[in-house]
Amino acid sequence: MSFVTVDNVFQSYGTRPILERVSVEVKEGEFISIVGASGCGKSTFLRLLLAQETPSRGEIRVAGQPPAREPGLDRGVVFQKYSVFPHMTVRENVVAGESLRRPWGRFFGKEKVEARKRADETLARIGLDHVADAYPATLSGGMQQRLAIGQALAARPRILLLDEPFGALDPGTRLSMHDFLQDLRRDTGMTVFMVTHDLSEGFKLGDRVLVFDKPRWDPHDPNAYGATITYDFDARNGGIPYQTIEEDTHVLRPA
Amino acid sequence: MRWINRRPGAALAAFLALVPFALALAAYMIGSDMRLAVNPSDKLLPAPSSIVDTALRLFTEPDRRSGRILLWHDTLASLQRLALGVGISAGLATAFGLLIGLLPHVRATLAGFVGVLSMIPPLAVLPILFIVFGLGELSKVVLIVIGILPFLIRDLSQRVLEIPREMIVKAETLGASTSVIALRVALPQLMPRLLQAVRLSLGPAWLFLIAAEAIASDQGLGYRIFLVRRYLAMDVILTYVAWITLLAVIMDLALRALSRRAFRWTETAL
């Protein structure tokens, strides 16, 4: 049963096609890595999933709902930058994940106390409890992205979209963010789409790796054709899931 | 070493900052001395000592006819007009800036109109204000509003447009409605910009205030300056000018301190 259905999606800006004939089905709980060269429509595809843009043809459905026309609660997102609110403290940012949907965008009275308690639990889980009252500008890049993910998850979205979330981090921080993301995923079983430049990151974290590329290429007019999904790898077990030996008996194991 | 890489030390920087003030004062004293040497009753460049005497008199002695200390009275009247004009402008500019910056329909409707409005020289419409609103307080406050509001609206709507799209989208994915995005995301980030813009528009606001007071008023700092001009009372004018400058500097510093105190999140630590 497919959870996210992308059906024959085209997207063009003016006369310039960006994506063409993109179709993919994703099961609930899958982690999809999206890779491809620059300008191959990865981020456009993510914006379409986010419903920040509507495709010029085709449609995207999440959990069988009619195609969304604007971003909403069912989709959480973390961008490379600007994903947290700079004027709120770390704790307020997490509370905002639950409170912005309210008429005034905040909680009052008893609800507020409870929301702060839940936020503190979230902060403890993502390792930011010691900076709960600081402003995001005082945090390191990795802490800001952890906060952004925590904030997005506080809203309990159906799918989580990550647009090069670790692109601006140094390699060490990036590795610890991988562990952090894998832990979170084990706990929540969330469906995740992640755009990344880093192939090994895509294969390490993803269950599937979608490669975007242009199948047709006109050397005289490089922008004449759009990109589509050219490869759809099964990325479990380091990208070689079908070579895993599952039988126990009468099997000759390689030495 | 290149000059762009040489920096003055703290003591030298303080000294250099004082130099232009000292030079201006010295130039005035020399000019004043030269004129007074030729004509001891010269009124154009009064001696600094006589300005200080006048200032003391203006700040402390009540007017013989009304029994009020006119300088404080004028200051109160002027500051009231200024505060009303700037306050109303800041409030309206915040509302319109948010609407224009966030809502494409309002932007399509109003952005061009505000752009054209801001090109009208405010002093050119001053006679219209006097005719429509009379010679009372209202026309002076309205002149300040007309003078600085278009600039404030344009500046603040631009600042709202500069809020990264990612942040707005993030708020959308957290379920925020348009009004919640305006109140909880855009407005708090606009406030430091508002203080900044108000600081910049205080200069024009003083200009329009004094222009309006000079033309039709019966109290106020601008009114007094243009009244005593008839008697060539340079000592009074200079005292008032210095006093207005001091008030403007204090307001500027106060707004800056407020901005720093109230919006700690704008400071990047680390």
Side-chain angles (χ1 to χ4, degrees):
Chain A
M1 176 57 203
S2 111
F3 182 62
V4 179
T5 312
V6 178
D7 185 17
N8 200 28
V9 159
F10 285 64
Q11 177 70 323
S12 45
Y13 297 141
T15 58
R16 187 181 154 200
I18 303 293
L19 292 175
E20 50 185 47
R21 284 178 290 119
V22 177
S23 296
V24 68
E25 300 206 334
V26 173
K27 289 200 283 285
E28 185 157 20
E30 272 190 307
F31 191 121
I32 311 292
S33 298
I34 300 169
V35 299
S38 298
C40 267
K42 307 184 296 277
S43 294
T44 304
F45 183 62
L46 202 78
R47 281 200 294 276
L48 291 172
L49 285 172
L50 184 57
Q52 192 184 346
E53 296 174 9
T54 38
S56 14
R57 274 169 66 188
E59 59 180 35
I60 297 174
R61 287 171 185 272
V62 175
Q65 303 284 317
R69 297 176 57 203
E70 57 179 4
L73 270 174
D74 50 351
R75 295 146 159 88
V77 69
V78 173
F79 296 103
Q80 184 174 352
K81 284 197 297 183
Y82 306 125
S83 278
V84 292
F85 302 116
H87 57 283
M88 299 182 189
T89 63
V90 168
R91 185 187 287 115
E92 285 167 349
N93 261 295
V94 177
V95 172
E98 295 180 51
S99 72
L100 283 188
R101 70 191 68 170
R102 296 307 182 89
W104 289 100
R106 46 174 91 241
F107 289 123
F108 299 99
K110 199 172 148 210
E111 264 189 328
K112 187 174 178 176
V113 178
E114 284 167 8
R116 286 174 67 94
K117 214 155 89 191
R118 279 196 301 278
D120 283 338
E121 284 162 19
T122 306
L123 287 176
R125 202 172 75 225
I126 63 179
L128 290 177
D129 42 350
H130 60 296
V131 287
D133 294 308
Y135 287 101
T138 62
L139 305 185
S140 69
M143 290 160 99
Q144 287 194 22
Q145 289 306 74
R146 256 187 289 169
L147 174 60
I149 294 171
Q151 182 191 46
L153 293 181
R156 307 206 171 283
R158 309 289 302 266
I159 57 176
L160 180 63
L161 306 167
L162 308 171
D163 192 355
E164 295 179 32
F166 314 133
L169 305 180
D170 62 85
T173 313
R174 195 182 281 214
L175 283 181
S176 66
M177 291 299 288
H178 290 170
D179 296 341
F180 166 66
L181 193 56
Q182 280 170 328
D183 286 349
L184 271 187
R185 220 186 130 232
R186 241 191 319 275
D187 295 348
T188 58
M190 177 113 31
T191 311
V192 183
F193 290 82
M194 179 181 73
V195 168
T196 177
H197 272 305
D198 186 345
L199 268 180
S200 58
E201 180 178 272
F203 274 93
K204 176 181 171 190
L205 295 176
D207 297 324
R208 282 163 76 185
V209 175
L210 304 181
V211 182
F212 276 75
D213 202 355
K214 295 185 179 179
R216 295 181 290 170
W217 175 260
D218 181 349
H220 301 291
D221 186 2
N223 290 331
Y225 301 110
T228 189
I229 298 175
T230 52
Y231 293 97
D232 182 350
F233 290 109
D234 193 325
R236 288 169 296 175
N237 299 341
I240 46 171
Y242 301 114
Q243 296 182 32
T244 313
I245 297 166
E246 292 180 350
E247 290 87 353
D248 285 331
T249 51
H250 309 299
V251 175
L252 182 67
R253 291 187 178 274
Chain B
M1 198 172 175
R2 289 179 190 83
W3 278 101
I4 54 165
N5 290 325
R6 295 185 190 205
R7 292 167 192 286
L12 182 59
F15 171 73
L16 288 175
L18 284 176
V19 165
F21 290 101
L23 283 181
L25 193 63
Y28 179 86
M29 283 162 75
I30 293 169
S32 165
D33 267 357
M34 280 163 63
R35 287 189 71 94
L36 288 172
V38 179
N39 175 11
S41 60
D42 177 64
K43 299 190 77 169
L44 216 54
L45 296 181
S49 55
S50 68
I51 295 180
V52 171
D53 289 344
T54 309
L56 282 178
R57 176 171 61 79
L58 288 174
F59 274 103
T60 51
E61 284 178 26
D63 179 46
R64 259 168 297 173
R65 175 132 36 106
S66 59
R68 297 184 296 206
I69 301 180
L70 287 179
L71 187 134
W72 293 111
H73 204 66
D74 290 336
T75 304
L76 196 67
S78 285
L79 286 184
Q80 199 178 358
R81 291 164 186 156
L82 195 72
L84 270 176
V86 173
I88 291 170
S89 302
L92 287 176
T94 307
F96 277 102
L98 282 175
L99 289 172
I100 292 174
L102 285 176
L103 304 176
H105 278 91
V106 179
R107 184 153 66 243
T109 313
L110 287 183
F113 184 64
V114 173
V116 172
L117 272 192
S118 69
M119 295 299 156
I120 300 175
L123 287 180
V125 298
L126 184 55
I128 305 177
L129 302 182
F130 281 141
I131 294 166
V132 174
F133 298 111
L135 297 177
E137 295 300 300
L138 187 57
S139 59
K140 299 173 187 68
V141 172
V142 171
L143 179 70
I144 297 176
V145 172
I146 286 181
I148 65 175
L149 183 57
F151 158 76
L152 284 176
I153 291 180
R154 287 178 77 179
D155 191 62
L156 292 184
S157 56
Q158 194 56 42
R159 301 288 165 242
V160 175
L161 282 170
E162 281 170 11
I163 295 176
R165 191 72 214 172
E166 287 93 332
M167 220 177 274
I168 309 271
V169 170
K170 176 89 185 202
E172 287 181 74
T173 63
L174 300 179
S177 64
T178 300
S179 54
V180 168
I181 289 175
L183 287 177
R184 292 279 279 142
V185 180
L187 181 62
Q189 301 199 44
L190 193 59
M191 293 316 284
R193 306 294 202 157
L194 174 69
L195 282 194
Q196 192 78 22
V198 164
R199 275 178 68 195
L200 283 177
S201 62
L202 268 181
W206 273 107
L207 164 73
F208 297 126
L209 172 72
I210 289 175
E213 286 180 344
I215 292 173
S217 185
D218 54 7
Q219 56 180 341
L221 296 166
Y223 160 74
R224 196 69 56 195
I225 288 178
F226 277 77
L227 181 75
V228 300
R229 176 192 58 137
R230 297 173 196 169
Y231 315 113
L232 216 64
M234 284 294 280
D235 48 349
V236 177
I237 294 179
L238 286 173
T239 305
Y240 267 74
V241 170
W243 176 234
I244 291 172
T245 311
L246 181 67
L247 288 176
V249 168
I250 290 173
M251 280 181 207
D252 192 61
L253 290 178
L255 282 175
R256 195 162 72 182
L258 176 65
S259 172
R260 244 186 241 153
R261 178 81 44 100
F263 309 113
R264 276 198 308 120
W265 57 268
T266 56
E267 291 172 24
T268 45
L270 279 185

